[in-house]
Amino acid sequence: MELIQIRDLLIRRRRTLASLFLAVLALVALFTLVSAPTYRSTALVLVRESPGANTLLAALGIPAASLSSSDDFDADTEISLGQLEPSLERVITTLGLSDDQGEPLTARRLIKGGLLPRLTPRPHLDIDQLEDGRMIEIVGWSGERDQAAALANGLAEAYIASQVELQQADLARARAFVVERLGTVRDDYLAALAAQRTFIAETGVSDLEAQLETLVTKLATLRTQAEENRTEQAAIAAELGALDIELARTGAARSADQAQANSEHIRSLKADLNDLLQELAALRVGSTEASSEYRRLLAQIERLRELIVAEAQAVVSGGGETLGFYEELGAQRISQRVALAISETEGRQIAHTIAECRDRIDAHAALLERQAALNSELEVSKAIHDRMLEAQRQLGLAAAMVAPTHVLVQRATPTTRPAKPSLALNAVVAVLLGGFWALGIALIEDLFDDSVRDPAALPGPPLLARLVRVRRGARPAPALREPLRALCNRLRERLDGRLPHRLALVGPCRGDGRTALLAALAEQCASDGLRVLALELDLRTPDLATRLDAAPVPGLVGHLREGVAIEHCIVPTRVPGLDLLPAGATLDDPAPLLADARLGALLTRLDEDYELILIDTPPLRTSEDAIQVLARVEHALLVIGAGRTPLRAARAALERLSRRAPVGLVLTAVDPLEYRYLH
């Protein structure tokens, strides 16, 4: 909707808007006058930061999730009705508050005063948190000023007392919680201490770290010995290789003495030596018995080696030089083989000792880890035990020096001026409510209004004039003179420069301004120098005489029915040159009179006396009288009331006038604010 349309709507419906707006203002004013005053008193409660039971336990590093108590005050959380209900019950009991039926008020009804204002205010309370929750505002409402202050102060004091009780209860539960946890922690500490003592008793050692260090040093020494043993074995193997090469070179030269060299005794000694060497190689090292067996085998091998060497020397001394050298080389080879076997056996014993040392090192490392775990568990248990003792001490101090976290910093005092009803607030509400209500009704009324406002919606005759509304009984205003002259000029233009002798003004229904237009047009034409007769043929509801301030009798009915002379029936008006032939009487069925031939003869006679005869006709919508009248006139002028004549009625009138189309259309009763000067 454009601004121009809104402006037109406000102008058209200004009476509706004004009446509804004033009605709402009157209702709000009446309600304000009859409403009982309501007084408001405010108390302020300061919320101080004070550690509660959970805060103390958390600061000491003690988890309090299992502590069944109310949480510490949270400044960002709204106060719930459940928190205030005990305090509200205390206030209700102390002040003896009751409802309209005399029953005691409930906490829910005391905290909720209702959405709509009341003629008789009921005591209630409002609670709000200010300044990020550090200040609680408690507002008491009542029809009595002292009671409003008592409500606010009573709730503030009761709420502070309830918070102190909750704080003490929290501290008591916290102490009980700490005592219970202290017993459990003490048992854990004693169990850890006993486990450490049992470990020391079972292992039989108290300094595992020193023993582990000794074993590591021994392992390093054994690894050095193993490396030396491997070096010695490599040297002996090299010597054996050299001896084998020398024996192969001298083997050919000993053939002459081979029989003596391979004597049974030497071969037997060599066989025994080989058996001992094999037994030494298969010997398992690691026990006391094995060690004595190892020493025994070494002694036997040494004796056999000495015997073989002695036999070889005997052969050398008793035989040839080559054979002797060969046997000496064999004896050396046997000695080297024995040395190699002994070295290999010692190497295996060193490797076995290294494996045993590694196993002992691993065992000691595991024992050290176990000892560290036991020590850590003992330290944790001791630390928790110490914290529990400290918590018990601090909670005892907090309980002995408990300070309230809520303090009444401003007491509510009775006020002399009521807070409700507020004249300023009610005025604003009345203006807003009245404006929206009136505008809404005006929009609905305009939406369902089907009256003619724009002549463009009517097909047929052209619009000759728009005339503003004329108050009943008033003469045409100066602003209407020019539009009426313009209407006469346009009639002349439509009728080839002349006015008709007879011009009937017809309209669809009553209230379209037909009679008022006829009176105004007749006065204007008479003022312009024409001899004008206003003829009233609306015999069912005659009204033209009243409009022209003339006598209504005897009129046309008196002339046609009673034979009164026409000179006595035509009456002059206040405007020179304008005469009136009124109806004279009201007829229920004027059809016979309108069809009377004497009416036609009368109109012919009147044409000779007057230059213009303006005829007022009955409405087209209610009867056929207008059709009978139109049969006796030259031209007709259709009159439509702006905002009064329904669009359907106007279109139906045009259909009935289809055989005798009107010369033009005049829109009357135009709002003077909407059209200040239209024609």
Side-chain angles (χ1 to χ4, degrees), residues 374-621:
L374 291 174
N375 290 336
S376 176
E377 183 178 354
L378 183 62
E379 291 176 359
V380 170
S381 298
K382 187 176 184 304
I384 295 175
H385 184 265
D386 293 341
R387 284 202 304 271
M388 286 295 173
L389 290 176
E390 180 64 19
Q392 188 179 29
R393 186 184 68 81
Q394 290 197 16
L395 288 173
L397 292 176
M401 302 172 61
V402 61
T405 57
H406 297 67
V407 180
L408 182 61
V409 296
Q410 176 183 314
R411 293 185 62 83
T413 57
T415 57
T416 58
R417 186 174 181 179
K420 295 179 182 179
S422 173
L423 297 180
L425 179 61
N426 288 357
V428 172
V429 171
V431 170
L432 294 177
L433 182 61
F436 283 111
W437 174 260
L439 184 60
I441 296 299
L443 285 173
I444 295 174
E445 185 180 14
D446 197 72
L447 180 64
F448 288 98
D449 185 8
D450 63 342
S451 60
V452 178
R453 292 193 177 276
D454 186 5
L458 295 175
L463 177 65
L464 299 182
R466 297 176 189 260
L467 301 177
V468 297
R469 188 182 299 116
V470 179
R471 184 169 55 87
R472 182 181 179 88
R475 298 189 64 182
L480 286 179
R481 292 174 184 173
E482 289 302 323
L484 290 174
R485 286 196 183 100
L487 175 60
C488 294
N489 293 333
R490 289 175 182 174
L491 282 173
R492 290 188 181 96
E493 292 175 0
R494 294 282 296 174
L495 300 174
D496 300 328
R498 65 178 182 84
L499 288 176
H501 284 288
R502 304 175 190 174
L503 180 63
L505 275 68
V506 296
C509 53
R510 300 191 182 279
D512 50 19
R514 181 183 63 258
T515 303
L517 174 61
L518 187 145
L521 184 59
E523 290 181 355
Q524 184 61 44
C525 291
S527 299
D528 291 341
L530 297 177
R531 286 283 297 167
V532 182
L533 174 66
L535 175 59
E536 187 174 26
L537 293 183
D538 185 4
L539 303 179
R540 295 179 184 270
T541 55
D543 190 40
L544 186 57
T546 305
R547 293 277 183 179
L548 295 175
D549 294 333
V553 292
L556 180 63
V557 176
H559 172 68
L560 295 179
R561 285 192 175 183
E562 301 175 4
V564 179
I566 191 63
E567 292 80 5
H568 299 291
C569 295
I570 296 176
V571 296
T573 64
R574 61 194 174 191
V575 180
L578 174 60
D579 294 334
L580 170 65
L581 180 56
T586 301
L587 301 180
D588 294 334
D589 185 14
L593 185 62
L594 294 176
D596 195 337
R598 293 177 296 170
L599 178 60
L602 177 61
L603 291 175
T604 302
R605 177 184 172 184
L606 293 175
D607 287 339
E608 298 175 356
D609 298 333
Y610 296 95
E611 297 177 89
L612 177 62
I613 300 176
L614 298 176
I615 303 173
D616 187 18
T617 62
L620 288 169
R621 191 176 185 181

Side-chain angles (χ1 to χ4, degrees), residues 75-250:
D76 297 331
T77 305
E78 292 293 336
I79 301 176
S80 63
L81 181 61
Q83 291 178 293
L84 295 175
E85 190 166 0
S87 303
L88 292 172
E89 296 291 345
R90 189 179 303 176
V91 172
I92 293 171
T93 304
T94 303
L95 299 180
L97 301 178
S98 59
D99 56 13
D100 298 336
Q101 288 76 29
E103 298 293 332
L105 279 178
T106 61
R108 187 171 296 276
R109 293 192 65 188
L110 184 61
I111 206 68
K112 294 183 178 180
L115 296 178
L116 298 177
R118 297 165 54 91
L119 295 179
T120 56
R122 173 166 50 84
H124 66 279
L125 288 160
D126 290 335
I127 296 94
D128 194 11
Q129 290 182 269
L130 309 175
E131 302 176 7
D132 298 330
R134 300 306 176 188
M135 190 73 70
I136 301 176
E137 182 185 51
I138 301 177
V139 181
W141 300 87
S142 177
E144 302 176 6
R145 64 187 69 182
D146 294 334
Q147 189 180 57
L151 279 172
N153 291 330
L155 179 58
E157 294 169 355
Y159 181 68
I160 292 173
S162 65
Q163 291 300 312
V164 172
E165 293 174 359
L166 288 175
Q167 189 178 6
Q168 292 176 345
D170 282 349
L171 291 173
R173 279 192 291 268
R175 288 198 304 273
F177 169 75
V178 169
V179 169
E180 180 183 356
R181 289 290 302 274
L182 184 60
T184 304
V185 170
R186 185 183 292 110
D187 294 340
D188 295 340
Y189 173 69
L190 294 177
L193 186 61
Q196 187 185 45
R197 291 173 179 173
T198 303
F199 170 76
I200 294 174
E202 289 177 353
T203 56
V205 293
S206 59
D207 193 358
L208 290 174
E209 293 183 358
Q211 293 186 8
L212 180 61
E213 185 176 355
T214 302
L215 288 174
V216 170
T217 303
K218 182 178 179 180
L219 178 62
T221 303
L222 289 173
R223 286 177 177 173
T224 302
Q225 292 178 0
E227 186 66 27
E228 294 175 353
N229 183 261
R230 283 194 294 271
T231 303
E232 182 182 359
Q233 289 180 15
I236 293 173
E239 292 180 0
L240 282 174
L243 288 173
D244 288 339
I245 294 173
E246 188 66 25
L247 283 172
R249 186 176 61 80
T250 59

Side-chain angles (χ1 to χ4, degrees), residues 458-464 490-491 494-495 500 502-508 617 620 627 630 633-640 650-666:
L458 295 175
L463 177 65
L464 299 182
R490 289 175 182 174
L491 282 173
R494 294 282 296 174
L495 300 174
R502 304 175 190 174
L503 180 63
L505 275 68
V506 296
T617 62
L620 288 169
I627 302 300
L630 290 177
V633 300
E634 299 177 54
H635 299 285
L637 188 64
L638 181 61
V639 181
I640 300 295
R651 290 175 177 174
L654 288 174
E655 290 179 1
R656 298 191 67 182
L657 295 174
S658 59
R659 295 183 180 180
R660 193 178 185 88
V663 68
L665 182 139
V666 176

